[in-house]
Amino acid sequence: MLKLFSRLFSLGAAASLALAGAAGYYHYTLPDSFYVTKGTELALHTALPIESAASGEAPAYAAETVPTRGSVSLRLFGIVPVKTVEVTAVDTPLVVPGGDPFGIKLLMDGVMVVGMGDVTPDGQCPAERAGIQVGDMVLSVDDTPINGNAALQQAIAAAEGESVRIRINRGGEIRTLSLTPLYSQSDGCYKAGLWVRDSTAGIGTVTYYLPDSGRFAGLGHPVCDVDTGEIIPLSSGEVVGVTIQSVIKGSAGSAGELRGCFTSGRAAGELYLNNRCGVFGTLTSPPDPAEAVPLGLKQNVHTGEAVIRTTISGTEPREYDIVIEKADWGSTGTKNMVIRITDPELLETTGGIVQGMSGSPILQDGQLIGAVTHVFVSDPTRGYGIFAENMYEYSAETGG
């Protein structure tokens, strides 16, 4: 009898430890805040059941006004405390899924330093001596705004060797440096020793469109400079139409690519924001109408079957089957979920996820839950996606 009691005690202790371990795991992996659609409860698709109970007089999701916040207690099996999270009730928007390719033309806010070089035969570089670094954005020279490479060259030449004040943006920090141009014998003028870029262009995919406002979101990740990897500060940008003409099929170790051409020199919209969650703007020529669907919140995303909507030929998007292998609700970047392409036709044509497919909307259970962002170069059938909630939140910060 004593042995049986000891065995039962050991089993009970082991179960308690297992529950405590599971509760600890969810405590650190679940985010500290969630959005919920007004009138609904916070429901989590977790491997072990977690129930939510409101803390205080009334649950946040029962509020009559939007948005409003409240606290919710999460408990494993409805018993073991996990954590208390903040819940904000919102009116979940209806969005039109994209999948349409679009061209991007960005004019930078200033010029980006992509390299530096010697000006004199003895190896002197004025920019380097001034403390300028690759990735800096040059905003002005002696209070003259710099909006292109030509403007920078003119400002440096006009100084005729005298020191100038260069105002730069370095990772969001504004600094003013003193630079003294040197005379280049080979070029016959004063130079700073700077290689800069003032614009860029590329192809992406529309994620969703808001028909009431004309605004849209795309890419799911920022447009970055090809040399520095820095997010390009946006001065202005245009959206132009694109036709996908061919596909370079991806394979292990080699990323594929959608190749297309701009269909018109006339803008089809404008961009107002380029940030960590994508590009955002307005469309004057919206895509062909599709049925609007709810924008899915991160806790609605679960492992299992889903589809992506993308264009691999011409201008018409189609849906292709995928599987969501992992969803990390606590992730705040652009790699919130791992997806795998399963559609035989898409695999045959592209090999999986390819460049230019970024922004392709991901739909699950009748909701737009995210967008394709990255490919695994070692396995192009798999890649990352961003939660649609993250994209919408970052666009909403600017009134989108």
Side-chain angles (χ1 to χ4, degrees):
M1 186 69 177
L2 182 60
K3 288 184 178 179
L4 178 60
F5 177 79
S6 298
R7 184 175 299 173
L8 290 174
F9 178 81
S10 298
L11 289 174
S16 297
L17 287 173
L19 284 175
Y25 168 79
Y26 285 122
H27 177 85
Y28 287 105
T29 57
L30 291 176
D32 295 326
S33 62
F34 291 89
Y35 290 105
V36 296
T37 302
K38 180 184 174 183
T40 67
E41 299 184 7
L42 176 61
L44 303 178
H45 296 277
T46 50
L48 298 177
I50 293 180
E51 297 180 11
S52 61
S55 301
E57 296 180 358
Y61 46 77
E64 294 299 324
T65 59
V66 171
T68 190
R69 293 179 174 84
S71 296
V72 168
S73 175
L74 302 181
R75 294 178 178 271
L76 186 62
F77 295 105
I79 301 172
V80 182
V82 174
K83 67 191 308 183
T84 298
V85 298
E86 183 183 83
V87 173
T88 303
V90 296
D91 284 324
T92 306
L94 292 176
V95 297
V96 176
D100 314 83
F102 71 103
I104 302 167
K105 294 182 178 180
L106 295 184
L107 182 63
M108 299 181 188
D109 183 15
V111 295
M112 178 173 284
V113 178
V114 297
M116 289 179 280
D118 297 336
V119 173
T120 63
D122 58 352
Q124 295 188 62
C125 176
E128 192 172 274
R129 291 196 308 183
I132 294 175
Q133 299 178 7
V134 171
D136 288 347
M137 295 295 304
V138 177
L139 305 177
S140 65
V141 175
D142 281 344
D143 298 326
T144 299
I146 301 301
N147 56 15
N149 185 31
L152 178 62
Q153 290 180 351
Q154 291 172 6
I156 294 297
E160 296 184 341
E162 297 294 326
S163 294
V164 295
R165 299 185 315 279
I166 289 196
R167 187 165 168 264
I168 65 168
N169 181 340
R170 181 177 295 166
E173 180 184 352
I174 305 300
R175 303 184 181 188
T176 300
L177 305 175
S178 178
L179 181 146
T180 303
L182 292 176
Y183 190 79
S184 170
Q185 295 288 346
S186 59
D187 295 316
C189 62
Y190 285 94
K191 303 186 71 174
L194 286 171
W195 294 96
V196 300
R197 181 177 293 117
D198 58 13
S199 61
T200 190
I203 292 175
T205 301
V206 174
T207 303
Y208 63 80
Y209 173 70
L210 299 170
D212 292 339
S213 65
R215 302 205 176 208
F216 82 99
L219 280 191
H221 62 69
V223 177
C224 296
D225 183 76
V226 66
D227 292 311
T228 67
E230 298 288 334
I231 297 177
I232 296 174
L234 177 64
S235 172
S236 62
E238 289 184 351
V239 178
V240 295
V242 164
T243 297
I244 302 300
Q245 296 177 312
S246 62
V247 177
I248 297 178
K249 189 173 182 179
S251 59
S254 178
E257 181 183 2
L258 296 178
R259 290 195 167 179
C261 66
F262 293 170
T263 55
S264 172
R266 186 175 59 183
E270 63 178 3
L271 300 174
Y272 63 81
L273 185 63
N274 174 39
N275 67 22
R276 60 187 299 221
C277 288
V279 295
F280 305 90
T282 57
L283 295 176
T284 54
S285 301
D288 290 337
E291 183 178 356
V293 300
L295 185 140
L297 302 174
K298 59 190 175 188
Q299 66 268 21
N300 301 135
V301 182
H302 59 86
T303 57
E305 295 180 351
V307 298
I308 64 170
R309 184 175 164 88
T310 195
T311 302
I312 59 175
S313 179
T315 59
E316 297 297 324
R318 289 181 50 192
E319 291 187 354
Y320 300 93
D321 295 330
I322 68 166
V323 168
I324 298 175
E325 296 186 334
K326 179 182 178 182
D328 182 0
W329 299 334
S331 172
T332 58
T334 60
K335 300 177 180 179
N336 309 139
M337 56 183 130
V338 176
I339 65 173
R340 176 168 53 87
I341 306 297
T342 58
D343 193 282
E345 182 180 351
L346 190 59
L347 290 172
E348 175 63 27
T349 304
T350 67
I353 301 169
V354 296
Q355 296 178 34
M357 204 178 281
S358 294
S360 299
I362 303 172
L363 296 105
Q364 185 181 57
D365 300 334
Q367 299 178 320
L368 191 149
I369 60 167
V372 178
T373 58
H374 299 81
V375 61
F376 293 173
V377 177
S378 60
D379 179 8
T381 66
R382 302 170 69 233
Y384 288 112
I386 184 175
F387 292 142
E389 174 185 317
N390 289 355
M391 294 183 70
Y392 187 81
E393 184 176 20
Y394 268 68
S395 70
E397 287 180 354
T398 61

